[in-house]
Amino acid sequence: MPASPAWHARVDHAGTVLGSAFLVAPDMLLTCAHVVHHVDEVSVWFPGAQVLGSVPARVVARGPWGGSPADGGDIAVLTLDRSVGVEPIVFAEPEGAEDLGDPPRLVAYGFPEGYGQEGAQTELRMTAPGQLIHNEWNQVEYWSGYGQEPSYGFSGAAAMRAGDGRVVGMVASYDPIARNARMIPARVLAQYVPALADLVPTPGCTAEEKRELRELVHRVERCGSLPVQMDRLVRTAAGRFGLAAPTVPDGLWQGVWYLLTESRPTGGHFPAAELTTLLSDQVTDEELRRGLRSWARAYRARHAAESTPPAPGGTLGGAARPTAETVRPLEPVEPGAPLPWAPILVELRRSGADSGTVLAEVSVYRGGDRLLVKADQLTAGRLRGWVVDRIDEAYEDIVDGRPLVAFALPRGWLNKDVDQWTRKRDKEPPLGCRAPVVVLDHDRRTRGRHQFELRRVWDELDRQDGSPLHRIGCATRHRAPQLSVLLQDVRGPVGFARPPTAARERGLYGAALDAPAPIVLWPRSGCPPGEPCAGDCTGAGFLDRIAERISLLPPSELPEMIFRLRKEAFLHEGPEPHWAAAGVSLVWEDPRRFPEARFLARSPVS
């Protein structure tokens, strides 16, 4: 056992011994709220440093203890009027009481009746290490059936490991009938006193990371109430990783601290970063929002680099790649092979608030996990600029790979010219000239059968070197049900000569999507809807040109080809318009790259 430390303290008031305390910083102590109940100024005496004499102290913070032994938050913070030069405690790791012995021997220094001046020690052990009562206490009992009881004078005393002197918690109450006591573990103390988080070891999170996170959380708390309840955010972040969220988090910091101490970053999963990202979407201060996302991004990157073993022969591009059991490699990694896609997902849906607003959500996928960038409810006039700004922001979360921007739209919106969106028209290149842009059918993203069949089709497409085009000309005689059955056996892109602007064409497009066809192309303009066509038309010419471009390319590379085609059409300066100048739309859906369709972060009627 180490030498007796000097940080043990006695708390006095008006000549009466109130209880115990212990030094956690040069001028700060912890004790129980019931020890200093109804007093704001006390005196503190250190038995191990008697030369200091009686030191005045003030009660500067109290937990939410309400006066009953069953109430949680029985914690108070004392500040000395000067630094005493005594070495403070060192906390053990959150489950540290389990590490030295089974069970470990704990020592507490208190001031029971008859020992008010010099104090006394008691030896304790946990009844069930790691198990909390009411999410608040560990039960402790005598190490043996004799010796000093942990009676009332031990309230506020530190419970330290006999083996190394590190503190695992604070003695809070004593039951003389059951002859046991309750101890508030260190990780619960830090729930109520956030400054302790820097001192309580948390495997997977450095002191600097915790300090930065505390400051960000404090800034969020000063901003006022959140539009979404904290318990909902914690449950969303915890539930994805199989954690049991606390029944009702007492506040923002309690929820954040819970995920830091009750979870471990594994397999590319980072619950604390997930919560911080969700929280960033709830604040309106742009600088604070970016600070939260920056913290989450740095936290993920550090753990991904530490936890991911290098691939045999080195990693692609020299960067560590996050892995998950549910995500298998989609692209070859041989030298010279294309980098995998790094998807950015833009989801647009109708808002139930009114006809002029849209629910928008932008996310980015890393290692198979979907990370929210921001969600909002927008008017049509603000939508384009907001989406382009959020896509730019999503690039900050891409570690490696080629960006792929995918718009998940209601089926009736698939012909929107999203690849032509800019912040300011004629002031910058359109989105489709800055990155590959594809469209997803939101309706089938939510249907299990379609997703299953699309995965099965892609297993076959991955083995194809080319992409022969299946043409649906203007003069097709197929009805929608017939076309859907016909396309079930097609393994490759489906090309329409007409855009889905008339009722019949919309029905045929729906049939192709329900087949389900993973790749569908069409021109956004063509033969006027409803007019007869013999097949020798603008749409047919479009399909001829597209077929030439894609026939020798693997299906996985079609977004890149369309990206190059859009840039070519944008830069064209010949006497005649480029054949693709009117716009090319591409539905390209691989569920393995977009493995999760979830509810929007905001309610459609909020």
Side-chain angles (χ1 to χ4, degrees):
M1 181 174 177
S4 178
W7 44 254
H8 298 289
R10 186 186 73 204
V11 181
D12 301 340
H13 178 70
T16 301
V17 177
L18 300 181
S20 305
F22 54 97
L23 196 72
V24 295
D27 62 348
M28 187 174 81
L29 300 98
L30 283 189
T31 187
C32 289
H34 76 262
V35 169
V36 291
H37 192 42
H38 295 317
V39 298
D40 295 324
E41 296 184 354
V42 296
S43 297
V44 175
W45 180 71
F46 295 89
Q50 298 184 35
V51 67
L52 295 173
S54 181
V55 183
R58 292 180 298 109
V59 182
V60 296
R62 304 175 193 269
W65 181 72
S68 167
D71 290 339
D74 189 6
I75 300 166
V77 180
L78 310 179
T79 296
L80 303 174
D81 67 349
R82 68 180 187 276
S83 177
V84 293
V86 172
E87 191 71 23
I89 67 158
V90 176
F91 278 113
E93 54 278 5
E95 301 300 336
E98 301 179 45
D99 291 347
L100 299 181
D102 184 22
R105 189 183 299 262
L106 304 178
V107 178
Y109 194 126
F111 301 88
E113 185 177 357
Y115 295 89
Q117 294 302 311
E118 72 276 22
Q121 293 180 339
T122 184
E123 291 186 321
L124 305 167
R125 62 183 174 187
M126 286 192 192
T127 304
Q131 300 297 313
L132 292 183
I133 297 174
H134 196 54
N135 289 324
E136 186 83 14
W137 307 284
N138 291 126
Q139 182 174 304
V140 292
E141 56 190 19
Y142 300 136
W143 181 262
S144 59
Y146 54 88
Q148 176 63 52
E149 295 184 1
S151 57
Y152 298 110
F154 284 89
S155 293
M160 70 175 187
R161 294 190 301 208
D164 61 2
R166 292 183 177 240
V167 172
V168 301
M170 179 176 72
V171 179
S173 63
Y174 169 68
D175 186 339
I177 298 177
R179 302 187 72 192
N180 59 36
R182 288 173 173 175
M183 181 194 76
I184 305 175
R187 70 179 188 273
V188 175
L189 294 174
Q191 269 191 358
Y192 296 106
V193 185
L196 295 180
D198 299 354
L199 307 176
V200 176
T202 47
C205 192
T206 67
E208 179 63 20
E209 285 174 327
K210 287 182 289 186
R211 184 191 63 76
E212 293 178 0
L213 184 57
R214 274 199 307 109
E215 293 175 354
L216 290 167
V217 168
H218 181 59
R219 289 173 59 189
V220 173
E221 290 173 331
R222 286 188 300 176
C223 290
S225 60
L226 295 172
V228 174
Q229 292 182 346
M230 186 59 201
D231 63 333
R232 175 180 167 187
L233 294 178
V234 174
R235 291 176 188 281
T236 300
R240 292 190 59 210
F241 307 107
L243 299 173
T247 305
V248 179
D250 294 324
L252 176 55
W253 171 252
Q254 283 81 357
V256 171
W257 181 245
Y258 172 84
L259 289 184
L260 280 177
T261 55
E262 298 296 330
S263 66
R264 299 290 182 270
T266 56
H269 296 163
F270 310 104
E274 175 78 5
L275 176 59
T276 308
T277 302
L278 291 171
L279 185 61
S280 71
D281 187 50
Q282 305 302 317
V283 299
T284 57
D285 185 304
E286 190 66 23
E287 181 183 355
L288 177 55
R289 192 176 73 83
R290 287 185 174 275
L292 290 164
R293 289 189 56 76
S294 177
W295 186 92
R297 187 163 51 250
Y299 183 76
R300 288 190 190 99
R302 183 175 71 81
H303 285 290
E306 291 178 356
S307 63
T308 304
T315 58
L316 183 62
R321 296 180 54 77
T323 60
E325 293 181 358
T326 58
V327 181
R328 61 182 178 84
L330 299 176
E331 316 286 359
V333 294
E334 290 82 3
L339 287 173
W341 293 113
I344 298 171
L345 179 64
V346 182
E347 292 199 76
L348 304 180
R349 281 178 247 179
R350 297 177 179 86
S351 170
D354 59 66
S355 59
T357 58
V358 176
L359 288 176
E361 183 171 304
V362 178
S363 308
V364 62
Y365 284 84
R366 281 182 50 173
D369 291 323
R370 180 177 174 183
L371 314 177
L372 178 68
V373 176
K374 190 169 177 59
D376 207 344
Q377 182 172 274
L378 304 156
T379 60
R382 293 182 54 217
L383 182 61
R384 295 191 178 202
W386 185 93
V387 167
V388 175
D389 284 339
R390 299 292 81 75
I391 290 173
D392 285 353
E393 191 173 334
Y395 275 76
E396 298 173 359
D397 285 311
I398 295 177
V399 176
D400 55 13
R402 294 174 292 167
L404 173 66
V405 180
F407 281 78
L409 306 172
R411 187 164 290 187
W413 294 1
L414 292 181
N415 199 46
K416 283 185 176 293
D417 60 343
V418 292
D419 56 280
Q420 297 300 308
W421 283 12
T422 62
R423 297 180 189 86
K424 297 179 180 180
R425 191 179 297 275
D426 298 327
K427 299 291 186 180
E428 60 186 12
L431 186 60
C433 290
R434 298 163 55 187
V437 175
V438 300
V439 177
L440 309 179
D441 175 22
H442 179 265
D443 294 350
R444 71 176 181 182
R445 270 178 52 76
T446 61
R447 297 174 182 169
R449 178 180 66 84
H450 287 159
Q451 296 300 295
F452 170 81
E453 292 174 346
L454 284 170
R455 285 191 292 268
R456 187 178 60 181
V457 171
W458 272 105
D459 286 340
E460 297 183 40
L461 293 178
D462 283 343
R463 296 191 289 269
Q464 293 184 186
D465 295 327
S467 300
L469 182 67
H470 184 91
R471 304 162 64 108
I472 308 295
C474 295
T476 181
R477 298 180 180 275
H478 291 298
R479 293 181 292 108
Q482 294 172 319
L483 182 61
S484 184
V485 173
L486 174 66
L487 295 180
Q488 290 177 8
D489 299 321
V490 171
R491 295 296 180 260
V494 175
F496 280 89
R498 277 179 168 166
T501 54
R504 183 173 185 274
E505 277 71 32
R506 287 195 293 270
L508 294 176
Y509 273 74
L513 295 170
D514 290 338
I519 305 169
V520 183
L521 302 112
W522 68 92
R524 278 197 294 272
S525 64
C527 297
E531 291 190 6
C533 181
D536 184 14
C537 59
T538 303
F542 171 86
L543 295 182
D544 291 340
R545 298 290 190 94
I546 282 289
E548 293 173 1
R549 297 290 186 107
I550 70 175
S551 60
L552 299 180
L553 291 175
S556 61
E557 289 304 301
L558 296 192
E560 181 70 28
M561 188 282 299
I562 296 298
F563 174 46
R564 295 195 301 267
L565 177 60
R566 287 170 176 152
K567 292 194 293 183
E568 177 186 315
F570 184 76
L571 297 172
H572 180 72
E573 295 181 351
E576 298 294 331
H578 192 280
W579 62 271
V584 181
S585 288
L586 171 65
V587 169
W588 186 91
E589 183 173 357
D590 185 346
R592 302 169 302 174
R593 292 171 173 83
F594 304 96
E596 179 188 19
R598 67 184 184 190
F599 295 112
L600 285 176
R602 293 181 180 270
S603 167
V605 294
S606 62

